[in-house]
Every structure is written in C-alpha cells, then in structure tokens.
Amino acid sequence: MKYRKALFFAFLVLSASAPAWAEVRGQEVEYKSGDTRLKGYLAYDTAFTGKRPGVLVVHEWWGLNEYTRKRVRMLAELGYTALALDMYGEGKQAAHPDDAGKLSAEVRKNMPAAKARFTAARDLLARHETVDAGKIGAIGYCFGGGIVLEMARAGVDLSAVASFHGSLGTASPAKAGKIKARVLVLNGAADPLVTPEHIEKFKKEMKAAGTALRFVSYPGAKHAFTNPDADAVGEKFKLPIAYNAEADKKSWEEMKAFFRSIFGR
C-alpha cells in the first residue's frame, strides 16, 4: 500500500511539472522571394522553452505535401523549430512524375533563384521568436536532399545539412573552404539513381573542399526509402522506389545523433 501511494505521489509531481498546454504547434506560413509567393509550414513544441535550433526541411519532387509536414512535426517533437520550405512557389504540388520532373527541373536549371528561395526561408526561420539564429540546419528528401547539398556547396550559412536519398551530382562542385556546414548523407545502397561512380565522385569532391562528411549507405534500401507511400507510388508509376522501414528508422536515428553532436539536443 505504501509503495502504491509513493508511485501515485510521484505521478502527481511529474504531472504537475509538465505544462498541460504543451503541444506541437504547426502553422502555414507565407513569404516571398522576389515576386514569387512561397507557402511553407512551420512547427515547434511548446514543451520546450527558450531559444532552440531551427531546421529547414526541403520536400521531395512532389512538392510540399503531408509527408513533408509530418517530418516537420517530428523535428518539433525533438525540440527544434522546423520549417518546410516551398521550392516551387505558390505551394505547387505534383501528382504525376512527369509534372514533378518538370517542376524540379525548373528549379535545378536556375540555382541562383533556388538559392534565393532557400535563403528567404532560412531568414524567415531565423527570425522566429523560438529560434537561435546562430543554429540553423537543413534536411531534404530525394530532390530536397540534392537541394540541401547544393545550398551547402553555395556557402549558405548552415551549421549542418542532412540529405536523405538525395542526388549527389552538381554542375557547381564545392570549392575549398566554401562549405560552412557539416554534411551527412543517408543513402540507399540499392538506389539505382545513385551509382557507385556518383558516390565516389561526391566523396572526392567533399574531401577536396575540406568538408566534414559522414556518408551512410543502407543495404537493400532503394530510392525514397523513408517514405511509406513509396511502394504504392512506385507500383502505380513503375518507378524504382520502395519504402524500407529499417533504413527509415536507422537514418532518422543517424540524423538525430548528427544534430545532437552539433546542436546539443
């Protein structure tokens, strides 16, 4: 009986110490790059107090969809303020690979405009009341993974960059000392879109640039291995993509450890 009373008392103390109103707050946000209106999604957890690191999240080639928003909320639960940015403008999304390819190609062929859109989102995040402006990182998925690597190459002020099954190639290889961020690449070893030659060339580029790089490949994982919808989408459109639950979990834990080593949480 005394033991049960002690447990009950401990439960009351713990309950009283946690704010009843603590929650992940998500909101749609609008911002601009030049004349282009951009539509993002920002989230943070009110259970955490004080300034915290901010993390930008760059969507897959489908655009800023619910999957991207889910990752933003997951980052918020870890104690970050996260912002899913809009690389296409007006919150455009694609439901077919042909349309997604056109949208992503438009961004890739004009990297100065892409950098401007990314930087506009970074500035918005840095100004948020919950964010420590000196601690900003970025993650991206597929198309977004390639974009965050390009932003690192371009010398955008970031502390850390993590690419999930992103492309590695570039028309503008990193110059020595240009990259400010530490870089983490989480790659599917069975991804037909990222060849061993791509990987070797990328690693040489990062080494020549003097970049702190961690590269992890997951055996058996294909392209888009973190997205649970990949199986259905791959089957529907005959795309070489597939979800891999083990690689999804391990890559997220790898990212958490990477950010923890840099941001302390």
Side-chain angles (χ1 to χ4, degrees):
M1 181 63 71
K2 289 183 178 180
Y3 178 71
R4 289 181 179 177
K5 286 183 177 179
L7 283 178
F8 180 69
F9 179 73
F11 172 77
L12 289 177
V13 171
L14 288 173
S15 298
S17 64
W21 58 89
E23 62 177 349
V24 171
R25 292 182 180 172
Q27 62 187 89
E28 306 295 326
V29 295
E30 289 193 7
Y31 56 108
K32 294 187 73 176
S33 176
D35 294 329
T36 303
R37 185 173 63 163
L38 304 164
K39 298 181 179 182
Y41 176 77
L42 182 143
Y44 62 96
D45 194 332
T46 60
F48 296 88
T49 59
K51 300 283 188 177
R52 68 202 71 179
V55 180
L56 296 160
V57 183
V58 187
H59 53 76
E60 298 174 299
W61 72 341
W62 306 110
L64 202 175
N65 54 20
E66 184 53 34
Y67 173 72
T68 317
R69 288 178 172 83
K70 181 186 79 170
R71 291 297 181 178
V72 167
R73 292 190 291 270
M74 289 172 68
L75 284 163
E77 291 172 353
L78 295 177
Y80 302 100
T81 294
L83 171 64
L85 54 89
D86 174 13
M87 290 302 297
Y88 294 159
E90 298 293 343
K92 292 175 186 172
Q93 295 184 39
H96 192 283
D98 290 347
D99 297 323
K102 291 175 183 177
L103 286 170
S104 59
E106 281 294 314
V107 173
R108 297 285 303 191
K109 75 180 184 182
N110 190 347
M111 291 311 297
K115 181 181 178 183
R117 292 181 182 183
F118 185 92
T119 303
R122 189 206 175 282
D123 292 345
L124 177 69
L125 180 61
R127 291 194 301 268
H128 195 269
E129 61 185 4
T130 65
V131 174
D132 180 343
K135 296 181 178 180
I136 305 287
I139 70 173
Y141 293 87
C142 298
F143 159 79
I147 289 297
V148 298
L149 292 177
E150 291 286 28
M151 294 304 106
R153 289 180 175 108
V156 174
D157 189 10
L158 298 165
S159 300
V161 159
S163 170
F164 291 81
H165 42 80
S167 58
L168 304 178
T170 182
S172 303
K175 296 180 180 180
K178 183 76 170 180
I179 296 178
K180 300 175 183 178
R182 286 170 55 184
V183 177
L184 171 66
V185 172
L186 303 157
N187 178 67
D191 186 344
L193 304 180
V194 180
T195 67
E197 291 75 22
H198 293 153
I199 296 172
E200 181 180 5
K201 186 175 181 179
F202 176 75
K203 288 182 176 180
K204 286 182 178 179
E205 177 196 355
M206 293 295 107
K207 184 176 181 180
T211 304
L213 170 68
R214 176 165 172 75
F215 195 105
V216 183
S217 282
Y218 297 98
K222 296 182 179 180
H223 195 67
F225 64 78
T226 64
N227 194 331
D229 295 331
D231 290 338
V233 173
E235 183 177 352
K236 180 178 180 180
F237 296 113
K238 303 296 187 277
L239 297 174
I241 63 177
Y243 179 60
N244 186 306
E246 182 179 6
D248 178 19
K249 181 179 179 180
K250 286 184 175 180
S251 62
W252 189 253
E253 290 300 318
E254 188 75 42
M255 180 215 71
K256 286 166 60 177
F258 176 64
F259 280 168
R260 192 179 305 118
S261 69
I262 297 168
F263 297 128
R265 69 168 63 201

